Amino acid sequence: MATKIDYYESLEVSRTASGEELKKAFRKQAMRYHPDRNPGDETAELKFKEINEAYEVLKDDQKRAAYDQYGHAAFDGGMGGMGGGGFGGFGAGGLGDIFDQMFGDMMGGRRGGGRRTGADVQVEVDITLTEAFSGVTKEVEVRTRVACESCHGSGSADASGGSTTCATCHGAGKVRAQQGFFLVERPCPTCNGSGRTVRNPCKSCQGSGTQAKTETLKIEIPAGVEDGTRIRMAGRGEAGGDGVQPGDLYVHVAVLSHEIFQRDGANIYCRVPLRMTQAALGTEVEVPVIDGSRSRVRIPAGTQTGETFRLRGKGFSVLRSSARGDMYIQVSVETPHHLTKRQRELLEEFEKEAGDDHTKASPENSGFFAKVRDFFEGR
């Protein structure tokens, strides 16, 4: 059996990585190796499955703790057998049920109540900041598995179905094995978790009941969505075959950066450049707003670089609400790089008139000039 790569190495993170660091690393790797971006590349497809498996374990605190202590053996039976006793004798509510809750989703695609489903599918969608503000409908191509057209998902070449109860798991769809201190439960290797085996397999799907297909789906992304949001579309994942309900589709939303606006929750920040004369004399400027409109902002005389002005209700939309955040305008006073002869003469005249009279300077500058004077007088 091939040796599995360490989950932390797969995601390229340290063993002390936080949940947020794990999430960012997974998204980066998923975008790099996603099958849609690497069509026909089997290596990329295997790597994509590897990082998905790693993230599914490490994002769950309980599974991560088990992995940190026992490694892959906590999940694939590599701890070595310990005969007799074990956890199998516990009744309802015992440790067997606890392990069902801890590892059930990972071991065979089960949901709450033991219901089996097809595999979940994950896709990444990039949207602009303005699309995140107003909401948008995106079309994405999803590589998934659907019910086989030949056998209608039964997996059997016989019209009547032609399946029988699996002799290995006796219809349970799962098998359990005692591995050290763990009772490990996995999908039955004979029926792949369906609980039944097909006597005369369909030639089109080899008895699986499903076939690969690329679908184009419309994804409704609501206004106010944040970067990293995961949208669940129930039942749009892979078909399970033999009447098993399909899995879910998870859409990971990535909001691209904007050349003008920066978002912080429901607030928007915008940097506005001013000429030094505008800042000194005061002015009124027109600024763009994320909704496509424009607003006028009065800049008082003597405004300094870094001063901020708030526009109430001009910020970002709030998810599932009609409310909006605020917009903050931060002033940046620019010094001209090139002056005409007349501009230089005017500035030199201004500087000469200002001279050494620092009484009109700002309190901060007045204090600075006083310290300079004291320094030279004390030498």
Side-chain angles (χ1 to χ4, degrees):
M1 181 181 294
T3 302
K4 287 189 176 182
I5 298 177
D6 181 87
Y7 285 154
Y8 293 99
E9 291 182 9
S10 295
L11 296 176
E12 298 182 2
V13 296
S14 68
R15 302 188 76 85
T16 58
S18 66
E20 187 62 28
E21 289 172 332
L22 286 171
K23 181 179 178 181
K24 289 181 179 179
F26 168 71
R27 289 185 56 202
K28 179 180 177 181
Q29 296 275 53
M31 290 180 66
R32 179 180 178 185
Y33 294 107
H34 197 285
D36 289 346
R37 298 192 176 190
N38 303 273
D41 189 339
E42 294 185 1
T43 302
E45 185 173 350
L46 290 173
K47 180 65 176 178
F48 184 71
K49 292 179 180 179
E50 176 188 300
I51 60 177
N52 266 285
E53 178 182 330
Y55 184 61
E56 284 300 314
V57 171
L58 298 183
K59 74 177 182 180
D60 185 291
D61 291 339
Q62 292 177 316
K63 294 177 185 178
R64 183 176 181 178
Y67 177 75
D68 287 344
Q69 185 170 4
Y70 299 106
H72 293 294
F75 308 105
D76 60 17
M79 290 178 60
M82 284 183 64
F87 301 139
F90 283 81
L95 289 181
D97 290 335
I98 294 176
F99 279 104
D100 282 347
Q101 296 170 13
M102 288 176 62
F103 305 114
D105 287 341
M106 192 175 166
M107 301 298 185
R110 291 182 295 108
R111 301 293 170 87
R115 177 170 63 88
R116 291 188 306 106
T117 69
D120 293 335
V121 177
Q122 301 185 57
V123 295
E124 182 111 7
V125 175
D126 293 339
I127 63 174
T128 65
L129 190 66
T130 52
E131 288 175 334
F133 167 79
S134 59
V136 66
T137 299
K138 287 285 187 177
E139 286 191 351
V140 297
E141 285 193 349
V142 180
R143 293 182 63 185
T144 184
R145 300 192 69 84
V146 298
C148 174
E149 295 180 358
S150 298
C151 64
H152 305 290
S154 69
S156 174
D158 301 330
S160 60
S163 64
T164 184
T165 301
C166 176
T168 302
C169 65
H170 306 290
K174 55 192 177 184
V175 292
R176 291 183 175 183
Q178 179 69 50
Q179 301 293 343
F181 295 102
F182 285 91
L183 179 65
V184 180
E185 181 180 284
R186 289 177 286 184
C188 174
T190 302
C191 64
N192 294 319
S194 69
R196 303 187 67 80
T197 54
V198 179
R199 289 193 295 267
N200 184 17
C202 170
K203 293 181 180 180
S204 297
C205 64
Q206 287 75 49
S208 68
T210 64
Q211 56 187 181
K213 184 179 180 180
T214 298
E215 293 185 316
T216 300
L217 300 178
K218 289 186 177 181
I219 310 297
E220 298 287 344
I221 300 176
V225 68
E226 295 193 26
D227 180 56
T229 296
R230 188 175 75 162
I231 300 174
R232 173 175 172 257
M233 299 182 67
R236 300 311 299 265
E238 291 189 357
D242 195 23
V244 173
Q245 295 187 30
D248 297 333
L249 171 65
Y250 289 93
V251 181
H252 296 265
V253 180
V255 181
L256 304 176
S257 59
H258 196 277
E259 59 183 355
I260 297 177
F261 303 112
Q262 291 81 45
R263 179 185 180 185
D264 182 11
N267 294 325
I268 285 283
Y269 292 82
C270 178
R271 197 173 179 86
V272 175
L274 292 179
R275 296 190 300 275
M276 59 182 185
T277 50
Q278 290 178 307
L281 301 175
T283 187
E284 192 174 85
V285 296
E286 190 176 65
V287 297
V289 182
I290 187 66
D291 60 12
S293 64
R294 292 177 176 272
S295 287
R296 301 195 68 83
V297 181
R298 190 180 68 83
I299 307 296
T303 295
Q304 305 295 312
T305 289
E307 289 193 38
T308 302
F309 302 90
R310 181 170 66 174
L311 297 177
R312 295 181 182 273
K314 297 293 185 180
F316 216 79
S317 49
V318 178
L319 188 64
R320 298 184 182 88
S321 171
S322 60
R324 286 178 60 177
D326 298 330
M327 180 175 175
Y328 291 87
I329 306 299
Q330 188 177 57
V331 170
S332 175
V333 180
E334 295 185 335
T335 302
H337 293 286
H338 305 287
L339 296 173
T340 65
K341 182 179 179 181
R342 177 57 178 161
Q343 288 171 337
R344 177 174 289 277
E345 289 174 352
L346 290 172
L347 287 177
E348 287 175 348
E349 184 178 340
F350 172 80
E351 179 63 19
K352 183 178 180 180
E353 184 176 327
D356 294 328
D357 183 8
H358 304 307
T359 59
K360 297 180 181 180
S362 65
E364 295 82 1
N365 288 340
S366 297
F368 170 76
F369 289 128
K371 290 178 182 179
V372 173
R373 183 181 63 251
D374 294 342
F375 172 77
F376 284 108
E377 290 179 352
R379 295 183 65 179

